[in-house]
């Protein structure tokens, strides 16, 4: 409880604070959010594929004509924190699960959102080189926004004995949100790592984190999560 209470003292420093007022705070005062890391958690990395990084580390507005699906500087800012998060799980031999686009869904006319798309290739949906999966990792190929919809995700969770999820990836307002809501609905308490999720729209990013934090999961800064994980899963124990 010491770690959680110390974290609460910093609650006024959250990413969404500039966008909400006292009336909104009052509306959400009765929602309770605590990090619920089970005894067998897994890391879920949502859609860390090439398309999100295509065009380089630039403001999103500069990518709109060439790669409107790119997250530009927001994607690149999240690389180092996400690599650190992955290493935390690998060091403890905890499961790492990736999701990406099921390429065959294109020919079926199935898309995650209604966004208009330029011509894409299967390589666009390969996992970005900074997050290359290991042989023991699981990759879930999905046709829609949620990693649970029309995929073997639920069965995979049972096979791995997973009881909670830590979530990173993109986009906060789209596939991350859809997967977080379904994780909650399936009984897997989700923790989202603030620096490791991203969106091309910073307002959607902040407000969806605010909403998910209060309704469906818990949003933690990476350093707070590191301390929480190390307390529960100390190395060498």
């Amino acid at each position: 409880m010491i770690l959680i209470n110390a974290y609460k003292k910093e609650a006024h420093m959250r990413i969404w604070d500039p966008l909400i007022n006292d009336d909104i705070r009052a509306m959400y005062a009765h929602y309770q959010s605590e990090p619920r890391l089970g005894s067998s958690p897994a890391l879920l990395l949502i859609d860390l594929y090439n398309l999100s990084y295509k065009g380089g580390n630039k403001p999103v507005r500069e990518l709109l004509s060439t790669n409107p699906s790119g997250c530009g500087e927001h994607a690149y800012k999240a690389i180092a924190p996400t690599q650190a998060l992955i290493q935390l799980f690998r060091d403890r031999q905890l499961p790492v699960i990736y999701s990406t686009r099921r390429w065959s869904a294109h020919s079926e006319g199935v898309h995650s959102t209604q966004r208009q798309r330029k011509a894409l290739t299967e390589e666009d949906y390969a996992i970005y080189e900074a997050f290359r999966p290991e042989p023991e990792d699981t990759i879930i190929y999905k046709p829609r926004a949620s990693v649970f919809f029309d995929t073997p995700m639920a069965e995979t969770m049972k096979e791995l004995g997973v009881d909670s999820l830590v979530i990173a990836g993109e986009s906060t307002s789209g596939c991350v949100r859809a997967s977080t809501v379904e994780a909650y609905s399936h009984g897997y308490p989700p923790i989202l790592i603030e620096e490791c999720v991203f969106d091309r729209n910073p307002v959607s990013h902040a407000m969806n984190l605010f909403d998910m934090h209060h309704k469906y999961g818990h949003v933690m800064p990476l350093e707070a999560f590191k301390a929480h994980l190390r307390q529960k899963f100390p190395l060498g124990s």
Side-chain angles (χ1 to χ4, degrees), residues 39 91-94 229-237:
S39 60
D91 288 345
R92 290 160 176 80
Q93 298 184 322
L94 295 170
L229 184 71
R230 286 167 178 162
Q231 184 185 56
K232 192 152 189 175
F233 295 92
L235 290 176
S237 59

Side-chain angles (χ1 to χ4, degrees), residues 94-137:
L94 295 170
V96 178
I97 303 170
Y98 292 77
S99 79
T100 188
R101 174 78 165 157
R102 183 192 299 168
W103 178 246
S104 63
H106 277 279
S107 61
E108 300 163 3
V110 176
H111 301 289
S112 300
T113 69
Q114 299 183 70
R115 185 178 68 249
Q116 299 300 305
R117 291 163 173 78
K118 289 181 174 289
L120 301 175
T121 69
E122 191 168 4
E123 182 62 21
D124 286 325
Y125 292 114
I127 303 299
Y128 187 60
E129 60 182 1
F131 311 110
R132 189 172 289 113
E134 297 292 341
E136 66 271 18
D137 298 335

Side-chain angles (χ1 to χ4, degrees), residues 45-58 63 66-83 86 98 123-132 168-170 195-200:
L45 302 167
I46 298 176
D47 296 358
L48 296 178
Y49 44 54
N50 289 328
L51 189 61
S52 296
Y53 304 87
K54 201 173 181 180
N57 186 6
K58 301 176 182 178
L63 304 176
T66 57
N67 182 26
S69 298
C71 293
E73 59 189 353
H74 306 303
Y76 282 82
K77 183 179 179 181
I79 289 177
T82 303
Q83 289 174 325
I86 293 170
Y98 292 77
E123 182 62 21
D124 286 325
Y125 292 114
I127 303 299
Y128 187 60
E129 60 182 1
F131 311 110
R132 189 172 289 113
E170 65 91 23
E195 298 93 332
C196 302
V197 291
F198 57 95
D199 198 298
R200 63 188 56 81

